Amino acid sequence: MNKVVASAEQAIKDIPDGAVLMLGGFGLCGIPENCIAALVKKKVSNLTCISNNAGVDDFGIGLMLKEKQVKKMISSYVGENAEFERQLLSGELQVELIPQGTLATRCMAAGYGMPAFFTPAGVGTEVAEGKEIRNFNGKDYLLEIAFDADFAIVKAWKGDTDGNLVYKETARNFNPLMAMAGKITIAEVEELVPVGELDPDAIHTPGIYVHRIFKGSHYEKRIEQRTVRKKN
Amino acid sequence: MALTKEQIAQRIARELKDGYYVNLGIGIPTLVANYIPAGMNVVLQSENGLLGMGPFPFEGEEDPDLINAGKQTITTVPGSVFFDSAMSFGMIRAGKVDLTVLGAMEVSENGDIANWKIPGKMVKGMGGAMDLVASAKNIIVAMMHTNPKGESKLLPSCSLPLTGTRCVKKIVSDLAVLDVTSGGFKLLERAPGVSVEEIKAKTAGKLIVEGDIPEIGI
């Protein structure tokens, strides 16, 4: 078993034009910034990106949008990005907006080997259009389908050479769910440690889900909304 | 005098109970955290994966890995716990969150809410709002009673695309506190100095007024 690759470029080298990608993160928190930079450099195009958000103009998935590499975004909230808005209004970019819990659970279902599930989110709204509705215990639920992604690209805090992953604080978000859901899962980590160094009780993503892992060379970890309070 | 945003938050904070798990939306709802009564144990849930959200960090102590659902830097409190987004919405869907406070563009007299989309304008997405309103046991809406043009936002039925149906239980606006009942909006309290007549005039949906309506005590 050799899951360790040398770099982001190595990790993403076989991602073809037209691929369906999952990209972890919430806002700019916990995003795979090294892989995104490598995807921009490789100029892969026509991508479908499943990610809760679409980055900002000059960071995160926004960098791929700027280079017109994204054909379709599947997200729950995309409000922080002027280039995104321009491409959407001009018709260059397709966007599918889905409730955040539905997005998370469609990833989870894929990782748990379940083709679909029922959720009440979106009943009675335009999200329900064309979807099967079933009543359980007096309440209506929508049938939602598990995602089918070619590659999941996630960012963890620590990982070992077998691909076991540990996330930090709210940088966890969608990362463990997407890690379970990719046909090929690529993990970039801040610290890559030898097998046996992580506490088995504290591992969030078992390495069985992870195919490639590398230590990111640089993490900017940009803060989207810096909010502070004054001392005393 | 209409309530300020801070006063709306202050009034909503009086609905909190010891031991509550609470999800606060972006905007006025976030301010409710500033008015949790001293000594009351309320645990704040942030749907990006945290129970036990604390105040903003001191300058220089911001942690890029620690944000709330509004992407603001935050802190944790003792007893806090992190989890992934599926578990976060799992606890919401399973009804474990006692109270959800969120903003709205429109609420209808049967409790429908619209707060995510204005057709023809840039659409940013529903985020977690549809999941929250579909499952929360108790939803309080914090909102302005009218839009900037002076038109009522409490309507017979919503004109904007819905976020959820028959889910809002209570509204705290700048003018009034109202319950959403099977018969319509039931006026409970009015902002200091605001008359029942003014609230009637600014409520397009069915308004139920029974007996004397006390002023909101702030």
Side-chain angles (χ1 to χ4, degrees):
Chain A
M1 178 159 33
N2 187 16
K3 298 183 177 183
V4 180
V5 294
S7 63
E9 287 73 21
Q10 284 291 314
I12 61 113
K13 68 175 184 194
D14 59 346
I15 294 183
D17 291 349
V20 178
L21 308 184
M22 287 178 165
L23 293 138
F26 184 99
L28 301 179
C29 181
I31 60 171
E33 39 181 296
N34 288 273
C35 281
I36 290 171
L39 286 164
V40 171
K41 203 169 137 195
K42 185 172 147 68
K43 300 186 180 355
V44 201
S45 65
N46 237 4
L47 297 169
T48 295
C49 293
I50 302 166
S51 188
N52 189 54
N53 313 92
V56 295
D57 276 320
D58 58 348
F59 203 57
I61 294 173
L63 296 170
M64 292 159 68
L65 288 164
K66 202 157 73 180
E67 300 302 321
K68 302 191 170 60
Q69 294 174 277
V70 183
K71 173 182 68 177
K72 183 176 182 181
M73 279 301 312
I74 301 176
S75 305
S76 85
Y77 192 82
V78 291
E80 334 282 355
N81 192 318
E83 174 62 15
F84 179 98
E85 183 170 349
R86 191 198 64 71
Q87 290 186 21
L88 175 61
L89 295 174
S90 72
E92 292 164 61
L93 180 68
Q94 302 168 43
V95 179
E96 187 180 335
L97 294 167
I98 59 181
Q100 195 173 127
T102 300
L103 180 74
T105 311
R106 287 178 69 185
C107 297
M108 190 192 81
Y112 276 57
M114 301 187 298
F117 60 94
F118 284 97
T119 176
V123 169
T125 77
E126 62 184 53
V127 166
E129 284 167 19
K131 287 178 185 155
E132 182 183 334
I133 294 175
R134 186 91 68 87
N135 189 286
F136 296 96
N137 306 315
K139 182 168 173 164
D140 284 341
Y141 295 81
L142 298 184
L143 183 69
E144 294 282 1
I145 308 295
F147 281 125
D148 183 13
D150 302 315
F151 293 86
I153 304 175
V154 303
K155 190 261 166 180
W157 177 31
K158 293 179 184 176
D160 70 21
T161 51
D162 275 359
N164 296 306
L165 303 176
V166 178
Y167 307 92
K168 187 159 179 262
E169 302 170 336
T170 56
R172 190 181 315 187
N173 56 64
F174 289 84
N175 281 300
L177 305 162
M178 293 181 170
M180 294 193 300
K183 287 194 195 76
I184 299 286
T185 290
I186 298 164
E188 59 170 85
V189 297
E190 290 176 56
E191 285 178 49
L192 183 61
V193 301
V195 164
E197 281 210 4
L198 298 176
D199 174 0
D201 269 330
I203 290 168
H204 299 130
T205 296
I208 190 169
Y209 286 112
V210 177
H211 303 85
R212 300 171 194 167
I213 187 166
F214 69 96
K215 181 181 181 303
S217 58
H218 172 74
Y219 284 100
E220 177 182 338
K221 291 198 182 183
R222 192 183 297 184
I223 291 174
E224 206 164 329
Q225 305 280 347
R226 188 179 297 275
T227 44
V228 295
R229 68 188 147 131
K230 290 260 184 293
K231 281 207 166 121
N232 67 57
Chain B
M1 274 281 284
L3 300 188
T4 63
K5 289 177 179 181
E6 281 74 17
Q7 289 171 324
I8 293 173
Q10 218 174 331
R11 174 60 189 83
I12 291 172
R14 283 176 24 207
E15 303 292 321
L16 300 172
K17 292 194 172 73
D18 194 53
Y20 260 18
Y21 291 95
V22 179
N23 181 291
L24 300 175
I26 295 164
I28 301 173
T30 305
L31 301 172
V32 174
N34 300 335
Y35 299 104
I36 298 170
M40 186 182 281
N41 184 20
V42 168
V43 180
L44 299 178
Q45 200 251 17
S46 190
E47 67 265 25
N48 56 319
L50 167 63
L51 273 169
M53 178 166 57
F56 295 141
F58 291 120
E59 204 164 348
E61 295 176 8
E62 309 93 302
D63 177 352
D65 290 323
L66 184 49
I67 63 168
N68 64 16
K71 288 131 190 164
Q72 297 171 309
T73 46
I74 47 156
T75 57
T76 55
V77 297
S80 67
V81 53
F82 299 109
F83 34 83
D84 65 55
S85 299
M87 181 176 280
S88 184
F89 284 95
M91 61 185 71
I92 288 165
R93 214 181 285 122
K96 305 297 181 189
V97 175
D98 298 291
L99 175 64
T100 292
V101 183
L102 72 179
M105 299 171 187
E106 295 176 348
V107 176
S108 76
E109 62 192 30
N110 68 352
D112 293 352
I113 179 171
N115 70 353
W116 76 282
K117 182 176 185 180
I118 302 174
K121 291 208 178 165
M122 173 56 190
V123 177
K124 297 188 174 203
M126 66 290 281
M130 283 194 182
D131 308 270
L132 280 158
V133 301
S135 299
K137 286 182 289 196
N138 190 8
I139 299 175
I140 300 179
V141 165
M143 67 192 296
M144 294 295 134
H145 213 92
T146 58
N147 65 21
K149 289 185 208 157
E151 298 160 342
S152 181
K153 295 167 71 173
L154 284 67
L155 303 169
S157 64
C158 294
S159 62
L160 294 170
L162 295 181
T163 309
T165 59
R166 297 175 181 275
C167 53
V168 177
K169 301 285 189 289
K170 192 183 279 288
I171 297 167
V172 178
S173 78
D174 54 333
L175 301 183
V177 180
L178 312 101
D179 269 349
V180 180
T181 70
S182 53
F185 300 114
K186 184 164 195 278
L187 184 59
L188 301 179
E189 300 168 24
R190 57 197 170 84
V194 172
S195 67
V196 171
E197 284 63 38
E198 181 179 348
I199 294 164
K200 268 184 190 163
K202 290 180 174 170
T203 305
K206 191 176 175 200
L207 185 70
I208 304 164
V209 183
E210 286 172 359
D212 284 342
I213 304 300
E215 289 189 350
I216 299 168
I218 292 291

